[in-house]
Amino acid sequence: MRTALVAGNWKMNGDSAFISELIKELKVSTKSSDAEVLVCPPFVYLSEVKQALSGSAIKLGAQNVSQNNNGAFTGEISLPMLNDLDCEYVILGHSERRSLYAETDELVAEKFIATEKAGLKPILCVGETLEERESDQTLEVVGRQLKTVINAAGIEKFVNAVVAYEPVWAIGTGKTATPEQAQDVHAAIRAMVAEYDADTAAKLRVLYGGSVNAGNAAELFANEDVDGGLVGGASLKANDFTAICQAAGAQ
Ligand code: 13P
């Protein structure tokens, strides 16, 4: 039995006043959710969100991390720093990092290995562009993104990892994948992992991300291989994020 996970990726949004209000509401509203709930604020707010979350079951995660532990890497944030703040998860290889900051499959694999070694849980994002879907390359692209990491890290490093399937065409567009489209790719991801190790595949949580909202969450999460969501825009609205967490917990 896989515990559903709902992760809020706040991206580069919010300020102190907004975040303090959001956390205050989420602490109360998500209390009864059976899903594991995670928020991933911008780096500069991690410390204040950690304090605000005190006494709550909501977990803390980061949106990215350096593959290096220290040194002359201006503007980067390291895993020891995230450990200092009790971050439990790190989002890796988000499509915005891949497309806007030129992160390659190989770099994502390096970050994955470093994250696992530091004792944090990677949330590995994979997903195809619209052009790739329309030319029937979805599984090829997702397979390449996933297998580059498995081959570099070793399947045994996936015990605490999470995979997030985020079709690029669904991110921030309001065009959610249909439950069937999501289930098909999620099942394929699990099958790819099973080629390496069946037990790891059975236990692996595969999240869906891309225009998840309060209205579509339940039908997405009802699918056998959809184990929760990675939520962008709707994670900034307490009521919507709460409804998504309830939908995940009810599955
Ligand atoms: P939206 O939920 O805003 O489409 O963003 C999804 C996402 O990129 C989460 O990482």
Side-chain angles (χ1 to χ4, degrees):
M1 168 82 183
R2 301 181 291 265
T3 303
L5 170 64
V6 179
N9 175 7
W10 295 357
K11 308 193 179 182
M12 197 176 72
N13 293 298
D15 57 23
S16 281
F18 174 85
I19 286 169
S20 143
E21 200 51 41
L22 180 59
I23 292 294
K24 205 163 34 167
E25 289 182 47
L26 291 181
K27 273 176 89 166
V28 178
S29 64
T30 63
K31 213 173 187 164
S32 62
S33 170
D34 287 328
E36 188 178 350
V37 179
L38 167 70
V39 291
C40 302
F43 287 129
V44 292
Y45 297 117
L46 281 171
S47 183
E48 115 187 25
V49 172
K50 169 182 145 77
Q51 280 171 26
L53 285 177
S54 149
S56 150
I58 301 173
K59 311 267 178 71
L60 187 63
Q63 299 174 16
N64 179 33
V65 75
S66 170
Q67 69 278 27
N68 300 297
N69 275 349
N70 58 274
F73 301 103
T74 301
E76 291 288 276
I77 302 288
S78 74
L79 283 153
M81 294 172 190
L82 296 185
N83 258 329
D84 254 356
L85 294 169
D86 298 331
C87 273
E88 194 168 326
Y89 289 88
V90 189
I91 298 171
L92 296 176
H94 191 279
S95 70
E96 287 148 20
R97 300 290 323 165
R98 292 178 190 263
S99 66
L100 301 174
Y101 302 98
E103 291 200 6
T104 61
D105 294 338
E106 289 71 26
L107 177 62
V108 174
E110 274 188 63
K111 292 185 176 199
F112 184 101
I113 292 166
T115 297
E116 197 278 338
K117 194 168 168 202
L120 281 85
K121 298 172 183 163
I123 300 178
L124 171 64
C125 300
V126 297
E128 82 288 0
T129 62
L130 184 59
E131 198 184 358
E132 288 161 345
R133 173 162 282 267
E134 286 176 344
S135 57
D136 239 351
Q137 288 178 289
T138 299
L139 296 186
E140 190 184 322
V141 171
V142 166
R144 190 201 70 225
Q145 292 169 333
L146 181 64
K147 288 177 186 176
T148 303
V149 178
I150 301 178
N151 291 337
I155 192 63
E156 67 282 2
K157 299 290 163 40
F158 272 68
V159 171
N160 290 315
V162 175
V163 171
Y165 169 56
E166 296 208 305
V168 178
W169 48 271
I171 296 176
T173 58
K175 270 202 225 162
T176 319
T178 64
E180 295 73 27
Q181 285 173 323
Q183 169 58 24
D184 283 354
V185 179
H186 282 231
I189 288 172
R190 202 176 302 288
M192 289 176 205
V193 175
E195 286 170 28
Y196 293 82
D197 185 66
D199 189 49
T200 305
K203 290 179 181 150
L204 179 72
R205 289 183 293 183
V206 185
L207 312 184
Y208 169 78
S211 298
V212 176
N213 60 42
N216 61 27
E219 59 175 12
L220 285 162
F221 300 159
N223 289 285
E224 189 183 340
D225 290 296
V226 180
D227 306 308
L230 180 54
V231 185
S235 72
L236 298 166
K237 297 176 195 141
N239 289 344
D240 292 13
F241 191 62
T242 302
I244 294 167
C245 294
Q246 304 297 5
Q251 297 303 321

